[in-house]
């Protein structure tokens, strides 16, 4: 075991650093040096060198067998020099690694500061389920019907607002077919000057139902479909039916005649998109499939 340690140190002294790093590793060199420092042979060699004095340290031996003593002395000297050189080799390697790490951190730090701030995640909106829709419809029927439709405004691509007026008060009914936030509810007044010219659906609905009366809102059995029945005057037969379908990304708002003919809709679904229930102006309205 001592001989193997000496061989490792000798290789390090001869400049075989790549070979040592590749085959045995620096940790084995450090282990060998530690074992060598604790070996009794090294202690004897150190004590013998200290007793010989300065003359012996310069390589001059005054004993009876100069060749043997000088050879032993030179071997001990190489042993000590090899251990110190191997220690310096390991220390320099570790220092190089630490400098490399610091340099890498210094290079990466400005890059992290220069990165753009991470945008917060958008909160997922809760869709309106059957229970919520039923509760909202019951509240509107109890407190707001019958009501006159005074204004019809489309505030954005997915929202239509009806201005309602009863005997005692006025309010705004929001009808939305948004893919993730479809709903029907009461809300605050919309913008006074919305850009209604950009939405053909809002203009068509304004011509069809403005000035008429909202008489009844019914629910399809176990379906998220609210039926708004509109007539010209209270007590007369309905002339229009607005079908509000709240079904996630398949949400839609469809206006029909009493016979079931589709007059206008927010989205038109052709036969190429689906063969189950196409939705187009002039077609016949059907409830969503179960």
């Amino acid at each position: 075991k001592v001989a193997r340690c000496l061989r490792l140190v000798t290789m390090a002294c001869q400049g075989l650093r790549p070979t040592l790093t590749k085959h045995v590793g620096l940790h084995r060199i450090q282990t060998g040096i530690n074992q060598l420092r604790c070996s009794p042979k090294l202690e004897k060699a150190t004590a013998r060198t200290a007793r010989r004095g300065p003359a012996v340290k310069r390589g001059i031996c005054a004993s009876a067998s100069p060749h043997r003593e000088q050879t032993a002395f030179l071997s001990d000297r190489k042993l000590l020099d090899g251990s110190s050189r191997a220690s310096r080799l390991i220390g320099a390697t570790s220092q190089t690694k630490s400098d490399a790490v610091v340099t890498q951190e210094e290079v990466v730090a400005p890059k992290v500061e220069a990165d753009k701030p991470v945008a917060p995640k958008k909160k997922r909106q809760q869709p309106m389920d059957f229970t919520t829709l039923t509760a909202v419809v019951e509240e509107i029927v109890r407190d707001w019907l019958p009501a006159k439709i005074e204004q019809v405004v489309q505030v954005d691509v997915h929202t239509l607002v009806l201005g309602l007026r009863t005997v005692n008060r006025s309010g705004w009914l929001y009808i939305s077919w948004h893919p993730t936030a479809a709903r029907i509810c009461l809300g605050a007044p919309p913008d006074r000057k919305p850009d209604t010219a950009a939405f053909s659906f809002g203009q068509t609905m304004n011509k069809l139902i403005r000035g008429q009366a909202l008489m009844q809102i019914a629910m399809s059995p176990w379906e998220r479909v609210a039926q708004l029945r509109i007539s010209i005057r209270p007590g007369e037969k309905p002339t229009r039916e607005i079908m509000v379908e709240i079904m996630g990304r398949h949400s839609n708002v469809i206006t029909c005649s009493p016979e079931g003919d589709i007059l206008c809709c927010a989205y038109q679904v052709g036969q190429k998109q689906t063969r189950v229930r196409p939705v187009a102006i002039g077609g016949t309205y059907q409830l969503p499939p179960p």
Side-chain angles (χ1 to χ4, degrees):
K1 192 172 183 180
V2 174
R4 184 175 59 185
C5 297
L6 292 173
R7 188 163 56 253
L8 292 174
V9 174
T10 305
M11 292 174 66
C13 296
Q14 293 176 358
L16 300 179
R17 178 180 175 183
T19 306
L20 290 174
T21 306
K22 181 177 180 181
H23 295 286
V24 296
L26 295 175
H27 64 281
R28 294 188 61 181
I29 298 176
Q30 183 65 41
T31 304
I33 293 173
N34 295 336
Q35 294 178 356
L36 185 62
R37 287 175 177 174
C38 299
S39 62
K41 290 186 177 181
L42 181 62
E43 294 179 358
K44 293 181 180 180
T46 306
R48 186 168 57 251
T49 305
R51 290 195 303 269
R52 288 172 183 172
V56 179
K57 292 182 181 179
R58 290 194 301 268
I60 303 173
C61 183
S63 59
S65 54
H67 179 71
R68 183 180 301 176
E69 293 292 339
Q70 187 174 3
T71 303
F73 165 70
L74 293 177
S75 299
D76 298 341
R77 186 65 177 273
K78 288 181 180 180
L79 184 62
L80 294 175
D81 294 344
S83 62
S84 60
R85 289 180 61 184
S87 301
R88 289 196 299 270
L89 175 64
I90 295 174
T93 306
S94 61
Q95 182 67 23
T96 304
K97 289 183 179 180
S98 61
D99 294 343
V101 172
V102 172
T103 305
Q104 186 177 2
E105 292 177 354
E106 292 176 354
V107 173
V108 172
K111 186 176 180 180
V112 174
E113 294 177 357
D115 290 342
K116 296 181 179 179
V118 180
K121 294 183 179 180
K122 295 182 179 180
K123 296 182 179 180
R124 185 177 180 181
Q125 298 178 350
Q126 178 68 27
M128 180 175 282
D129 55 5
F130 178 78
T131 305
T132 307
L133 181 60
T134 303
V136 171
V137 169
E138 291 293 335
E139 180 183 355
I140 296 173
V141 171
R142 183 183 68 247
D143 300 336
W144 289 90
L145 296 186
K148 183 180 178 181
I149 302 176
E150 291 189 338
Q151 297 186 36
V152 179
V153 181
Q154 185 173 355
V155 295
D156 56 34
V157 182
H158 301 101
T159 307
L160 184 72
V161 183
L162 306 181
L164 304 179
R165 178 178 291 276
T166 64
V167 177
N168 301 323
R169 54 183 174 175
S170 61
W172 299 89
L173 179 64
Y174 282 75
I175 302 173
S176 176
W177 56 95
H178 194 276
T180 59
R183 66 196 182 277
I184 175 172
C185 61
L186 297 169
D191 190 4
R192 293 185 178 181
K193 296 181 180 180
D195 189 9
T196 56
F199 307 112
S200 59
F201 177 69
Q203 294 178 354
T204 305
M205 292 291 292
N206 188 29
K207 294 178 181 179
L208 289 175
I209 65 175
R210 183 177 180 181
Q212 300 186 19
L214 177 61
M215 299 302 300
Q216 186 181 2
I217 301 178
M219 290 285 299
S220 298
W222 301 108
E223 288 288 347
R224 287 182 292 175
V225 179
Q227 303 175 7
L228 283 69
R229 296 187 174 95
I230 300 172
S231 59
I232 298 177
R233 294 180 181 85
E236 297 183 0
K237 293 182 179 180
T239 58
R240 302 284 186 267
E241 288 187 1
I242 302 176
M243 315 299 290
V244 182
E245 300 177 352
I246 301 177
M247 300 181 296
R249 62 188 183 93
H250 301 291
S251 301
N252 204 346
V253 176
I254 304 170
T255 304
C256 306
S257 64
E259 292 78 17
D261 299 331
I262 298 176
L263 302 177
C264 67
C265 57
Y267 286 127
Q268 296 193 51
V269 183
Q271 294 182 354
K272 294 183 179 180
Q273 298 176 349
T274 177
R275 297 181 180 179
V276 179
R277 192 185 66 128
V279 178
I281 297 175
T284 303
Y285 177 78
Q286 299 176 1
L287 289 173

